[in-house]
Amino acid sequence: MSTTETQEQTFTLEELLAGFKELHRLILWNDDHNSFDHVIHCMIKYLDYNETQAERIAWKVHNEGKCAILEGSFTEVEVYRKILQQEGLTVSVD
């Protein structure tokens, strides 16, 4: 007769949630009503980009039509989507 040993593993809530966390991206879209300055201002103010990074994002959106500006859980990305939408930017979650 053999005995089976079970080893108990414990995880923190954060570790468990990380396993379920699917990464989402916040996409900034080009539009006809926001200026470069406004886009740059919002990237610096809300997403903590420096001026050079924010300018690169503005140019990428202008030239390519869109740019992924943030990656994280749906909840994290959704918070910033709402903030940036209130600022008049055209954003979506991918």
Side-chain angles (χ1 to χ4, degrees), residues 16-23 72-74 76:
L16 288 172
L17 291 175
F20 294 111
K21 191 189 278 190
E22 184 182 328
L23 287 181
S73 72
F74 179 78
E76 292 167 319

Side-chain angles (χ1 to χ4, degrees), residues 22-40:
E22 184 182 328
L23 287 181
H24 293 270
R25 297 182 316 153
L26 184 61
I27 308 296
L28 175 63
W29 295 88
N30 193 23
D31 58 41
D32 294 330
H33 55 272
N34 282 296
S35 68
F36 269 54
D37 287 342
H38 182 63
V39 169
I40 291 166

